[in-house]
Every structure is written in structure tokens, then in C-alpha cells.
């Protein structure tokens, strides 16, 4: 993300509560961060059914958007106002080079759009799964196609799972941590990735396992969007009830590998021995 901050000058950030995403973006190094509230404050007719609260109006920044170019749009967190945010995103997607309030004749001049993840649904307090950022992205893309008659060009990207690059980034961070904290240079022989969403967690883990030099072992827990009795579209190596069960499974599996490799005369390994071997990593989503 810090590389993106060097690439793009003025960016629109969407999602989250209040000014949190603006502050996150500025923390990454983005120098000019705009929010939907800034645009609505400049022109309240932008979103006919959304009016800023007094607090939102106070926090939103005064700005003349007549000469502002939005270089990129980042959806950092789940939108709290889908209708208003999609409207602003569509305005920019159909704009002339990211200029607010303009319309392109060819609908192929809009800025790129980046989504921090692509989960269509997620598990919340409700008994059924709720719509997530992936659904917002899909609605945005389909509506853009309808509005432009399929003639426009929209550039969207998704960070996060299940993109292999996200897992590779996590692997680099683990490598740095292992080297700094334990002086280990070699990567772990096995990475146990624990997640609750087959379409992102398990799909991504299985995908990176196909290209990585070490083993990535996918574990699905039943505490998320997975529904008992169904067959996941992306199959994990094992399904367990809780994260603790996943950790225990990983330890048991590593202990069994050690027992098989060692001569029978040696003492039986304990879980502590496996942990101290420092050749296994557990990643909990």
C-alpha cells in the first residue's frame, strides 16, 4: 500500500466509520485523501437520499472540486452507505480522467478502483451470512456496464484473499519476523492457514500451495460462513470446529511427522518439542 501512496497523488477512500479510513490512508503515506463526505459537502445534490449529519459535515473538508483529479479510488472497508458510495464511484468511473462532475464520451477514462477484499458474504451476528465488499464490487461493475451500454472500460482490482500475491506478502512478513525474532533464515516447512471462508481463505491457501516452495495447509473452521452439510466450493485439507482445534491438529500432524522421521529408540516428542523446532507456522485469518 505504501507503494501505491507513491504512485497516486489524490485518492478517494471509501468505507468504514467516520474519518477512520482517511486517517488510515494518510498513515500509509497518501498525501491528498478525499472522502465521499468531502464531495457531498461540496455538492449536496451528489447523493439525493443521503444528507450529512452535523458531525459528518464538520469532519468533511471544504474543497473546490472543479480542478481536482482523483487518481485512484480505494475501498478500504465495508461501505456504510452503499447507494451513496456507488453513486460517487460511478460518477468517477464515467468521468473525464477522474475529474468530479465531468462525463466522458467514451466511458473509458475513469481512475482505477481498488477493493481491500473480495468476499461476497461474511459471517456476522445474524443467523444468515451478510453481504460483504465483494457484493458491493459486483453491484458497481454491473451497474457501470448497464449505464454505459457495455461500451465503457472499468478497471477494478481486489487486494486481500484469495489473491496469491496477498499470501506471498504474508509469507514475506513471516520471514522477516522469523529472522528478527529467532534468527531463522529458511521459511517454515509448513504454513497452516486457518480460515472460515472457503471462497477466500481456503481458495487462496490452496492456490498459493500450488506455487510456493513450502507447504501451505488449509484448515476450515465451522465458525464462519461455512454451513454444515454443504460441500465447500474450495475444499480444505481438513475441517474442524474451532481455531483451537485447528492449532491442535497442526501440532499433532507435525509431531507425527517427527515421530516417523526419528529412530524408535528416541524419546517420544512433546508438543513443546515441536514448537521449539520452529519449522511450522500457523496463520489464523
Amino acid at each position: 500500500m505504501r507503494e501505491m501512496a507513491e504512485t497516486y497523488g489524490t485518492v478517494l477512500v471509501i468505507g468504514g466509520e467516520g474519518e477512520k479510513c482517511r486517517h488510515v490512508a494518510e498513515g500509509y503515506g497518501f498525501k491528498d485523501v478525499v472522502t465521499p463526505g468531502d464531495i457531498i459537502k461540496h455538492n449536496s445534490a451528489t447523493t439525493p437520499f443521503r444528507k450529512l449529519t452535523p458531525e459528518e459535515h464538520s469532519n468533511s473538508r471544504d474543497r473546490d472540486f472543479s480542478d481536482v483529479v482523483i487518481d485512484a479510488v480505494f475501498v478500504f472497508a465495508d461501505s456504510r452507505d452503499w447507494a451513496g458510495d456507488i453513486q460517487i464511484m460511478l460518477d468517477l468511473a464515467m468521468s473525464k480522467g477522474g475529474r468530479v462532475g465531468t462525463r466522458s464520451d467514451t466511458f473509458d477514462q475513469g481512475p482505477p478502483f481498488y477493493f481491500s477484499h473480495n468476499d461476497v458474504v461474511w459471517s456476522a451476528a445474524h443467523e444468515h451470512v451478510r453481504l460483504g465488499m465483494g457484493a458491493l464490487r459486483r453491484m458497481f461493475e454491473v451497474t457501470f456496464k448497464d449505464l454505459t451500454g457495455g461500451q465503457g472500460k472499468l478497471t477494478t482490482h481486489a487486494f486481500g484473499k484469495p489473491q496469491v500475491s496477498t499470501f506471498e506478502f504474508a509469507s514475506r512478513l513471516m520471514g522477516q519476523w522469523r529472522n528478527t525474532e529467532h534468527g531463522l533464515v529458511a521459511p517454515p516447512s509448513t504454513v497452516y492457514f486457518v480460515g472460515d471462508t472457503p471462497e477466500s481463505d481456503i481458495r487462496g491457501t490452496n492456490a498459493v500451495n500450488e506455487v510456493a516452495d513450502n507447504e501451505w495447509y488449509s484448515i476450515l473452521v465451522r465458525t464462519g460462513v461455512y454451513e454444515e452439510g454443504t460441500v465447500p466450493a474450495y475444499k480444505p485439507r481438513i475441517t474442524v470446529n474451532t481455531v483451537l482445534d485447528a492449532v491442535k491438529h497442526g501440532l499433532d500432524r507435525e509431531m507425527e511427522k517427527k515421530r516417523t522421521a526419528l529412530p524408535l529408540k528416541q524419546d517420544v516428542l512433546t508438543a513443546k518439542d515441536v514448537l521449539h523446532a520452529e519449522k511450522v507456522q500457523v496463520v489464523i485469518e
Side-chain angles (χ1 to χ4, degrees):
M1 191 59 68
R2 296 187 187 280
E3 295 175 356
M4 293 288 187
E6 297 176 1
T7 302
Y8 298 115
T10 301
V11 299
L12 171 69
V13 295
I14 288 174
E17 298 177 354
E19 296 287 290
K20 291 180 180 178
C21 284
R22 191 202 304 266
H23 297 155
V24 169
E26 291 173 342
Y28 277 127
F30 287 100
K31 297 178 177 59
D32 189 12
V33 181
V34 175
T35 68
D38 298 344
I39 295 174
I40 297 171
K41 186 174 184 177
H42 171 71
N43 183 357
S44 61
T46 301
T47 54
F49 302 114
R50 178 188 174 186
K51 304 302 178 185
L52 298 179
T53 66
E55 181 181 5
E56 289 174 333
H57 192 275
S58 175
N59 289 333
S60 298
R61 298 174 183 175
D62 290 307
R63 187 157 190 172
D64 180 5
F65 282 94
S66 60
D67 60 350
V68 173
V69 175
I70 303 296
D71 297 313
V73 178
F74 290 87
V75 184
F76 271 7
D78 287 290
S79 169
R80 270 50 171 182
D81 174 35
W82 285 39
D85 288 344
I86 288 179
Q87 178 67 73
I88 292 172
M89 292 164 66
L90 288 168
D91 284 343
L92 287 171
M94 296 187 292
S95 70
K96 293 181 178 179
R99 291 175 173 81
V100 177
T102 64
R103 273 293 182 272
S104 169
D105 295 327
T106 54
F107 301 123
D108 61 355
Q109 299 173 282
F113 292 77
Y114 295 90
F115 296 79
S116 62
H117 68 81
N118 205 34
D119 291 350
V120 174
V121 295
W122 64 293
S123 181
H126 198 274
E127 62 266 28
H128 300 299
V129 294
R130 304 289 86 185
L131 293 178
M133 191 181 297
L136 176 80
R137 178 186 181 185
R138 183 61 177 158
M139 291 178 186
F140 168 56
E141 292 172 339
V142 170
T143 306
F144 175 83
K145 183 177 180 180
D146 288 345
L147 289 175
T148 62
Q151 301 302 309
K153 180 181 179 181
L154 182 63
T155 303
T156 63
H157 308 274
F159 290 120
K161 303 162 296 181
Q163 280 67 35
V164 169
S165 59
T166 297
F167 289 82
E168 292 174 336
F169 175 70
S171 183
R172 290 195 296 272
L173 289 183
M174 283 193 296
Q176 295 171 7
W177 175 80
R178 285 164 59 84
N179 183 263
T180 301
E181 297 296 326
H182 302 287
L184 298 171
V185 177
S189 59
T190 302
V191 177
Y192 291 89
F193 194 95
V194 184
D196 63 4
T197 307
E199 288 73 15
S200 57
D201 300 324
I202 305 307
R203 180 183 182 182
T205 307
N206 293 347
V208 75
N209 184 59
E210 294 180 0
V211 299
D213 294 330
N214 56 346
E215 179 187 32
W216 284 69
Y217 189 97
S218 57
I219 303 178
L220 177 66
V221 291
R222 295 186 174 96
T223 54
V225 301
Y226 169 74
E227 296 182 7
E228 190 66 40
T230 63
V231 178
Y234 300 91
K235 296 182 180 180
R237 300 283 289 276
I238 191 172
T239 301
V240 298
N241 289 325
T242 67
V243 171
L244 179 58
D245 291 331
V247 174
K248 288 180 178 178
H249 173 76
L251 288 174
D252 290 343
R253 187 169 179 266
E254 291 301 310
M255 290 172 66
E256 183 60 32
K257 287 195 293 186
K258 295 297 180 183
R259 290 192 187 98
T260 303
L262 289 174
L264 293 177
K265 65 180 182 180
Q266 291 199 12
D267 294 335
V268 176
L269 284 173
T270 66
K272 183 178 180 181
D273 295 323
V274 175
L275 288 173
H276 285 178
E278 296 178 327
K279 292 183 179 180
V280 59
Q281 198 86 31
V282 178
V283 179
I284 300 173
E285 186 276 326

